[in-house]
Amino acid sequence: MKILITNDDGFDALGIRLLAEWAKKLGEVTVIAPKTEQSGTSHGIDFIHPQEIKKVDIIDGITVYSMESTPADCVRFGVFGLKEKYDLVLSGINRGVNVGEDIVYSGTVGAIFEAAKCGIPAAIAFSTFPDTQEIAASYLDMVYKYICDNKLLEENNLYNVNIPDKVDGIRMTYQGSMYFSDSFVKKEGDIYIQVGGPVPDIEPDNLDRDTVAIHKNLITVTPLLFTRTNMEVFNKFAQK
C-alpha cells in the first residue's frame, strides 16, 4: 500500500511525525506537508505564487517534503508533481479537534477532500485536542481496526476522525453544529483579530453528533462526502 501523509500544522509538527511512524506498518509512506502552519486554509490551493518544495530529513526511513503551500496543494504535488499513485491519504494528527460545522475551515480535512478530487481511493483525517497528540497516536490501532472490521472504506471513501484525551469507546457520528463562536476584536487603529470560544451543542445528549461525543470520551468517526450537490432537490426538479 502506498500512503501519502500531510497535515496543516506543518511538516515538523509532532502529530504528523507520530502518524507517519505508525503508518509504516501499513505500507510505503511519503510525507508532504506545509512548510508553515496552514490551519484554517480549508480546501484552498495556491496557483498564483511560486512554491518552495524540498526534501527534509526529519523522519527515519520516510521521504519527507516541505512545501510552501496548503495541505490540499501538498496532496496535489504528490499526485501531479511526483506523479505517484497512492492508495490512501492520512491527514493529521491535528492539534485541535475538527468537529461540527467548523470542519469547513479545516486544512486537515481539506486535504482529504483534495485526495478524493485527485482520485485517491480513500482518505482519513485525524484530529485531537491540543497537546494530546501522543495520547491520540496510541489509539490509531484501535481506530484502524474499527475501520477495517466494519469495512468502512468499502462504504465510503472519506472519514473524519477525532480522538479525545480520555477514551471510553468509539462511535460512528455525524457532523454536529457550530463548535466555536465567531467574533472580530479591534486591537488598535485599523487592526482586528478573529477570536472564538466553545459553543454548547444544540442537542447536548445526542451522542450521534461529533460535537457531543468528543466530550463524552468517545472517538468519533464521521463519514464525509465530496459532492456538494443536494441530490434530493436535483432529483425532484431534474427533467426526465
Side-chain angles (χ1 to χ4, degrees):
M1 181 187 296
K2 297 194 73 169
I3 302 167
L4 173 61
I5 295 181
T6 191
N7 72 349
D8 71 3
D9 289 327
F11 74 93
D12 58 349
L14 174 61
I16 199 168
R17 292 169 183 254
L18 294 168
L19 184 58
E21 290 286 358
W22 171 81
K24 283 182 181 179
K25 68 179 72 176
L26 304 182
E28 178 186 343
V29 174
T30 300
V31 172
I32 308 173
K35 180 179 180 179
T36 58
E37 183 169 350
Q38 297 288 316
S39 296
T41 56
S42 187
H43 195 173
I45 62 174
D46 184 354
F47 51 85
I48 304 297
H49 305 100
Q51 299 164 3
E52 177 192 83
I53 305 170
K54 65 179 182 180
K55 283 187 178 181
V56 288
D57 185 16
I58 61 170
I59 306 176
D60 290 341
I62 295 178
T63 300
V64 180
Y65 291 87
S66 162
M67 183 173 183
E68 200 172 25
S69 194
T70 64
D73 263 344
C74 291
V75 174
R76 291 168 62 80
F77 175 69
V79 175
F80 304 120
L82 299 180
K83 301 187 185 306
E84 294 283 359
K85 292 186 179 296
Y86 300 99
D87 302 296
L88 176 66
V89 166
L90 303 177
S91 185
I93 303 169
N94 191 63
R95 186 176 61 246
V97 295
N98 283 302
V99 292
E101 295 173 356
D102 290 325
I103 69 169
V104 299
Y105 303 119
S106 169
T108 305
V109 177
I112 68 170
F113 283 125
E114 185 61 29
K117 181 181 180 297
C118 292
I120 297 171
I124 307 169
F126 294 94
S127 303
T128 188
F129 292 111
D131 304 319
T132 60
Q133 292 97 326
E134 289 182 317
I135 296 173
S138 70
Y139 288 99
L140 291 173
D141 282 336
M142 176 182 176
V143 173
Y144 195 69
K145 184 177 187 300
Y146 175 83
I147 289 172
C148 292
D149 286 352
N150 290 285
K151 299 180 179 180
L152 294 185
L153 295 178
E154 296 178 17
E155 300 288 338
N156 192 64
N157 63 333
L158 300 177
Y159 287 90
N160 183 36
V161 175
N162 286 273
I163 303 173
D165 52 353
K166 296 180 181 179
V167 174
D168 291 334
I170 186 168
R171 189 179 184 97
M172 180 69 70
T173 56
Y174 64 84
Q175 182 182 332
S177 54
M178 182 187 297
Y179 189 68
F180 288 107
S181 63
D182 300 304
S183 179
F184 281 80
V185 176
K186 189 172 185 177
K187 302 298 287 185
E188 56 181 305
D190 297 326
I191 305 302
Y192 290 76
I193 185 172
Q194 292 195 62
V195 298
V199 176
D201 195 90
I202 59 175
E203 297 180 39
D205 298 319
N206 186 350
L207 292 177
D208 289 337
R209 297 167 68 83
D210 60 359
T211 42
V212 174
I214 189 67
H215 291 291
K216 300 294 184 180
N217 299 334
L218 296 171
I219 297 172
T220 68
V221 180
T222 305
L224 302 179
L225 293 175
F226 177 76
T227 181
R228 298 192 181 189
T229 302
N230 186 324
M231 293 305 297
E232 290 185 10
V233 175
F234 171 79
N235 290 328
K236 180 178 180 180
F237 291 97
Q239 295 182 0
K240 298 179 181 180

